[in-house]
Amino acid sequence: MKFDSRQYQIDAVEAWWEVLENSPELYPIIAVPTGAGKTVIMGMLIKKYIDEYPDNKILVLSHTQDILEQDYAALSEFFPDKEIGVYSAGLGLRQICQITIAGIQSVYQLKDMFNWVNLIIIDECHTVNHKNSGMYRTFLNEHRGIIAGMSATVFRTGHGYVYEGSAIFNTLAYDLTSTDNFNKLVADGYLTRLISVAPEMEMDINGIATSAGDYNVKQLGDRFDRSAITEDAVNELIKYGHNYKKWLIFAIDTDHADNICESLKSHGIHAHVLHSKMGYDRRKTTDSFKNGTTRALVSVGMVTTGFDAPNVDLIALLRPTKSAVLHVQMVGRGLRIAKDKDHCLVLDFAGNTARLGPINDVRVPNPKGKKGEGGNMTKKCPYCRAILHISVRICPVCDTEFVFQTQLTVRPDIIPIVKETAIKEEPKWLTVNNVQYSIHSKPGKPDSLMVTYLCGITKIREWICLDHFGYAGEKAKLWVERRGYKGSIDTHSVYQHRDQLKKPEKICVSFIDKYPSITQTVLSQGA
């Protein structure tokens, strides 16, 4: 086996196994964010199961070819000495082995052929209908084996959590998508940081009808698939994206995707579409995006699950949705880590983040009569446009102090796509006796300005990344502007003219993280 298991994966398997082994009346699921190694967890569980029951049979079910191929590749590495069967009409294979991976579309009418299976694992288990209908329910209703599931989104529109009130699943064994667990995966470097921005061009969905629980696609297309709107969106995409390598763009329908793609091309961006009506080879298109020269891929519903491109560092949402599942799946395409990828920028033209909440605290749909959950109210910093939780008193980006009002009236421009873990320790105010500046150099990275605050016997440092691109660079420019600096804004110029910077009298420091961070600064009036 070539996989190096991580502690959280071991913990997830142990929790899953505990239910399967000791509670036969329970059909458990686990929640695993995109990019956290779902197939590794699946392989570890199957290995544990076969070690315990070497003659038993396992069936892995899913609904897309991409997921089937990923599961096959992962399990083939887990079990190099075993033949892994694949039963899928779309892939042209009809193999049945001790471990079989199958497309539900190909087997749901062949349930008698799989009555011998002891353990069924459903990948993307949120697709199982909570009502007594659909392919999965046809296949599973009379099955006598153990059933388990896994997904990044363990809820359904119009129902709620799939393990509550369902005739199939009835317990959540382990949840890596919770706010604290998700944030720990980011902090430990297993998932990429997400930064979400709502650009100036906002898609106003007022008056759009609802069909099957989501916005009516035809009405969305009629309103937003217009050349002027598309051009505005593309102009902003180019403005924000010039330092990002791989752009994944979600469109309303095929015509909308084609028009976005043509607009990108007219601006010199190498772009392709990926949808059901595309006139060229899908595999070549995705390979060119993942490993080749294609910079932007415009998709309609074909990359929300099973699409693995770790180098995606910019996602543009031009598809408004009411679906929490679609929201999390679209944004989740940017969570995978990759070399030289510091974060993934999410340009939310559609307002999905404000509507549905951060992806690790999403507003989960609930059955009628129950109050909705998840999602925090946000407010905009009037100075730097950062959007923060409603309770924040000082903007951590630019130190602006908020005047609290009874009602929030401004539109978000930068929205927290990931909810932060609550701070459990109050920051401390320190009096600044002196400030020292130096150039900080790191191989392969632009220079930065290192600022050292001498507070009695305590030294607090922060790094001002003026020569960096994206969010870090914009934050650094705000830092020097608030300190009254008027010259050329680059690291060496600011260092040379550091005497122009207003000196802080006090700083408020949080010690909750590995390194202290400055949350607020009181500046003197003079330099």
Side-chain angles (χ1 to χ4, degrees):
M1 185 179 71
K2 300 180 181 180
F3 293 100
D4 294 324
S5 57
R6 303 162 182 171
Q7 186 59 50
Y8 70 84
Q9 294 169 335
I10 296 172
D11 293 342
V13 171
E14 290 298 327
W16 211 7
W17 177 258
E18 175 70 20
V19 177
L20 291 173
E21 184 73 355
N22 298 316
S23 304
E25 75 283 2
L26 297 179
Y27 289 166
I29 64 175
I30 60 171
V32 185
T34 300
K38 182 179 61 175
T39 52
V40 175
I41 294 173
M42 179 193 297
M44 291 168 64
L45 178 75
I46 293 174
K47 184 177 186 305
K48 191 175 185 69
Y49 184 80
I50 289 180
D51 287 346
E52 186 73 18
Y53 306 103
D55 296 324
N56 281 11
K57 310 295 192 299
I58 298 98
L59 176 65
V60 177
L61 289 174
S62 192
H63 66 294
T64 72
Q65 289 187 21
D66 285 338
I67 296 175
L68 295 178
E69 290 174 339
Q70 287 178 18
D71 289 346
Y72 175 78
L75 293 180
S76 295
E77 291 193 54
F78 256 98
F79 304 98
D81 298 326
K82 284 184 177 293
E83 184 178 1
I84 309 296
V86 178
Y87 203 104
S88 168
L91 295 175
L93 297 170
R94 288 176 172 81
Q95 307 162 335
I96 298 178
C97 301
Q98 183 182 15
I99 303 172
T100 303
I101 299 165
I104 187 61
Q105 300 92 331
S106 300
V107 302
Y108 80 100
Q109 291 182 322
L110 306 174
K111 53 186 177 181
D112 290 343
M113 292 177 57
F114 295 93
N115 278 338
W116 45 265
V117 172
N118 305 96
L119 171 64
I120 296 177
I121 298 174
I122 300 173
D123 198 348
E124 305 295 345
C125 63
H126 65 275
T127 57
V128 178
N129 200 322
H130 57 281
K131 300 178 181 178
N132 192 19
S133 62
M135 296 183 194
Y136 277 112
R137 296 302 297 269
T138 299
F139 184 82
L140 297 172
N141 275 351
E142 299 176 8
H143 197 275
R144 295 184 294 275
I146 298 172
I147 302 172
M150 58 196 318
S151 178
T153 50
V154 291
F155 38 82
R156 284 177 63 86
T157 300
H159 173 70
Y161 292 104
V162 299
Y163 52 89
E164 295 179 351
S166 170
I168 299 293
F169 304 109
N170 47 23
T171 189
L172 178 65
Y174 204 76
D175 186 7
L176 286 166
T177 65
S178 68
T179 300
D180 288 346
N181 284 342
F182 184 101
N183 288 348
K184 190 173 190 308
L185 292 177
V186 175
D188 291 346
Y190 296 123
L191 297 179
T192 294
R193 262 188 331 132
L194 298 177
I195 297 174
S196 178
V197 175
E200 290 298 322
M201 199 288 284
E202 180 184 21
M203 301 172 82
D204 183 3
I205 47 77
N206 286 328
I208 299 290
T210 299
S211 299
D214 205 350
Y215 294 117
N216 182 279
V217 172
K218 184 179 185 306
Q219 290 188 18
L220 286 175
D222 290 343
R223 180 176 296 186
F224 298 117
D225 188 13
R226 299 171 182 269
S227 57
I229 295 175
T230 298
E231 189 68 12
D232 284 346
V234 167
N235 285 335
E236 285 203 76
L237 178 53
I238 293 171
K239 168 189 169 184
Y240 280 103
H242 64 284
N243 291 311
Y244 292 85
K245 298 177 182 178
K246 293 292 180 179
W247 307 353
L248 187 58
I249 302 157
F250 291 92
I252 295 166
D253 55 23
T254 57
D255 289 341
H256 191 216
D258 289 339
N259 292 332
I260 293 171
C261 185
E262 290 305 313
S263 180
L264 286 166
K265 289 178 178 179
S266 72
H267 287 273
I269 304 297
H270 191 180
H272 282 111
V273 295
L274 188 66
H275 56 62
S276 59
K277 297 179 182 179
M278 56 190 287
Y280 36 88
D281 184 78
R282 178 188 176 190
R283 182 55 58 86
K284 288 183 180 179
T285 300
T286 56
D287 286 347
S288 177
F289 176 68
K290 294 177 182 180
N291 308 309
T293 58
T294 300
R295 187 177 192 180
L297 189 63
V298 190
S299 172
V300 181
M302 296 184 74
V303 297
T304 52
T305 57
F307 182 80
D308 183 1
N311 53 356
V312 169
D313 57 359
L314 188 152
I315 290 174
L317 303 176
L318 281 156
R319 202 294 190 196
T321 183
K322 286 185 174 182
S323 168
V325 172
L326 182 57
H327 171 50
V328 175
Q329 295 283 3
M330 287 191 295
V331 174
R333 299 309 103 193
L335 282 173
R336 297 184 187 278
I337 58 174
K339 183 180 178 181
D340 299 325
K341 178 180 173 182
D342 173 70
H343 67 275
C344 178
L345 182 67
V346 181
L347 298 178
D348 193 354
F349 296 92
N352 295 334
T353 308
R355 185 180 309 114
L356 296 165
I359 63 169
N360 60 343
D361 190 34
V362 70
R363 292 186 178 95
V364 174
N366 283 281
K368 293 180 180 179
K370 290 188 177 181
K371 185 178 179 181
E373 298 180 40
N376 285 336
M377 291 183 65
T378 57
K379 61 186 177 186
K380 182 179 71 171
C381 173
Y383 186 79
C384 73
R385 301 171 62 201
I387 290 296
L388 310 157
H389 293 154
I390 194 70
S391 61
V392 171
R393 294 181 176 275
I394 304 296
C395 175
V397 177
C398 69
D399 295 338
T400 294
E401 184 172 359
F402 289 100
V403 177
F404 276 74
Q405 297 177 347
T406 303
Q407 186 176 1
L408 183 67
T409 58
V410 293
R411 178 179 77 84
D413 289 295
I414 302 179
I415 302 168
I417 193 77
V418 173
K419 178 183 177 182
E420 300 295 334
T421 302
I423 296 176
K424 300 177 181 178
E425 179 181 337
E426 289 294 325
K428 297 178 181 178
W429 281 100
L430 300 177
T431 299
V432 178
N433 304 116
N434 199 5
V435 184
Q436 298 174 346
Y437 302 92
S438 60
I439 300 293
H440 179 73
S441 299
K442 190 174 182 180
K445 299 287 184 181
D447 289 345
S448 60
L449 182 69
M450 185 171 75
V451 184
T452 303
Y453 301 91
L454 305 178
C455 307
I457 62 172
T458 302
K459 290 184 179 180
I460 303 296
R461 291 188 175 92
E462 67 176 335
W463 286 262
I464 312 304
C465 304
L466 290 159
D467 298 334
H468 289 60
F469 295 111
Y471 182 73
E474 293 302 318
K475 180 178 176 181
K477 291 180 176 65
L478 289 169
W479 188 93
V480 296
E481 288 173 1
R482 281 186 61 80
R483 282 155 179 75
Y485 180 79
K486 303 296 185 184
S488 177
I489 299 181
D490 62 83
T491 297
H492 288 267
S493 294
V494 173
Y495 175 74
Q496 183 178 357
H497 301 287
R498 57 193 180 276
D499 57 322
Q500 297 180 16
L501 298 172
K502 291 182 180 179
K503 297 177 181 177
E505 296 177 350
K506 293 190 299 182
I507 56 175
C508 189
V509 183
S510 171
F511 295 91
I512 192 72
D513 297 321
K514 183 177 180 181
Y515 299 105
S517 60
I518 298 171
T519 62
Q520 187 179 359
T521 302
V522 175
L523 299 172
S524 63
Q525 296 303 309

